[in-house]
Amino acid sequence: MSDVECSFDDASCLSPQSPGSPSPTRKQNKETTFTINCVTFPYADAVPEQQLLKPSEWSYCDYFWADKKDPQGNSTISGFEILLQKQLKGKQMQKEMAEFIRERIKIEEEYAKNLSKLSQNSLASLEEGTLGEAWSQLKKSLADEAEVHLKFSSKLQAEVEKPLLNFRENFKKDMKKYDHHIADLRKQLVSRYAAVEKARKALTERQKDLEMKTQQLEIKLSNKTEEEIKKARRKSTQAGDDLMRCVDLYNQAQSKWFEEMVTTSLELERLEVERVEMIRQHLCQYTQLRHETDMFNQSTVEPVDQLLQKVDPAKDRELWVKEHKTGDIRPVDMEI
C-alpha cells in the first residue's frame, strides 16, 4: 500500500470526515457523515433511519459493514473477514464431525470383531437338551449381531463419513477467491479515499493562496496584477473540480464495494444454510441407521427368546435319561 493510501488502522481515517468540499457543503457533510477506515457512514441522528435490506432475517448483508477490533491485538478485522472466518470454521467443524464418525466406525468394527470371536467360544458347548439348543442359538446370535454391526459400520462410512469429507472439496479455494475479490475492491476504495484527501488538501492550499493574494491587492502590499488574481482563481476552481472528480470516483468505488459485499455476503449466507442442511441430513441418516441396527439386533435375539420360552427341565431330563440310562430294573430283596 502506498504512503498516500489509508490503511485500515490509519488514525486519519478514524476521525469523522467526509469526501465533500471545504465549502459550506463540506460543513454539512461533516455533520451528516463520518469516515472510518476509508468507508463513509451516516450519523444516525442526521439522516433518516436506514431500512434493513432483509428485515427480520438477521441476514449477513445487513450486519457486517463496519470493521471490528481484533481481540488478539490492536489491528482491525473487516466484517467480510468475519464472515469468511465463519465459513472456514464451518468447514473445520464438518471435518471434525467426519473424524468423529470415523472413530464411531472403528468402535463398531472392533465390537463386531469381538462378537464374532466370542460366538466361536466353546464354553458351555456340552450343555444338552432344550437349554443346550437355546445356548447354541444365543452364541449364533452373537455372530448374527456381529454381521449387523459390520453392515452398520460400512453404511456409516459410505452414507455419513464420506459425504461429510467430500462436501465442497474446493471450498477453501473458493473462499480465497471471494476474499481476494472483496479485498481488491476495499484497496481500491482506500486508494480513492487517499486521492480525495490529497485533492482536498490541494484545494485548501489554492484557496489560501487566492485569499492571500486578494488581501494583498486590497491593502496594496503587493503589486500583483489582476491577471495573477484570475490565475489563482482558476487554479482554485480547478482544484475544486479535481476534488469533485475524486469524490465521484470514491463514491463509485464505494458503491461497487457495497454491491459486491451484498452479493457475496448473500452467497456466503446461502452456502452456510446449505452446509448446515447437508450436515443435518447426514446426521439424520446416522440416527436412521442406528435405529435400523437396533431393529436388526432385536431380530437376532428373537430366536433366542423363542427357544428360551421352550426350555423345559422335565423334557431335558427325559432326553438325558433316555440317552444315558443304565437300566430301569430296580433292585429287590435277596431271598434265602
Side-chain angles (χ1 to χ4, degrees), residues 257-304:
W257 171 75
F258 170 84
E259 291 172 0
E260 292 301 311
M261 274 285 291
V262 171
T263 300
T264 308
S265 62
L266 288 176
E267 175 62 12
L268 295 183
E269 185 177 303
R270 184 191 68 79
L271 290 174
E272 176 64 5
V273 170
E274 188 179 75
R275 181 190 76 89
V276 171
E277 183 59 25
M278 182 278 298
I279 293 176
R280 186 194 70 81
Q281 289 177 358
H282 286 90
L283 294 184
C284 285
Q285 181 64 12
Y286 167 84
T287 59
Q288 178 62 31
L289 291 173
R290 188 69 181 82
H291 289 317
E292 290 178 3
T293 299
D294 289 343
M295 182 180 66
F296 290 139
N297 279 337
Q298 181 63 31
S299 69
T300 65
V301 298
E302 286 175 358
V304 180

Side-chain angles (χ1 to χ4, degrees), residues 211-259:
E211 183 179 355
M212 180 183 66
K213 288 179 178 179
T214 302
Q215 289 177 349
Q216 289 175 347
L217 182 62
E218 289 176 351
I219 61 177
K220 304 186 185 302
L221 292 178
S222 174
N223 294 323
K224 301 293 182 183
T225 64
E226 185 70 24
E227 186 62 32
E228 290 178 316
I229 297 296
K230 290 180 179 179
K231 183 178 180 181
R233 185 173 289 111
R234 283 197 302 270
K235 288 183 177 181
S236 178
T237 301
Q238 181 61 47
D241 292 341
D242 289 343
L243 176 59
M244 292 177 63
R245 180 181 59 82
C246 289
V247 168
D248 184 52
L249 291 174
Y250 167 85
N251 286 335
Q252 290 179 32
Q254 181 168 259
S255 178
K256 178 64 175 176
W257 171 75
F258 170 84
E259 291 172 0

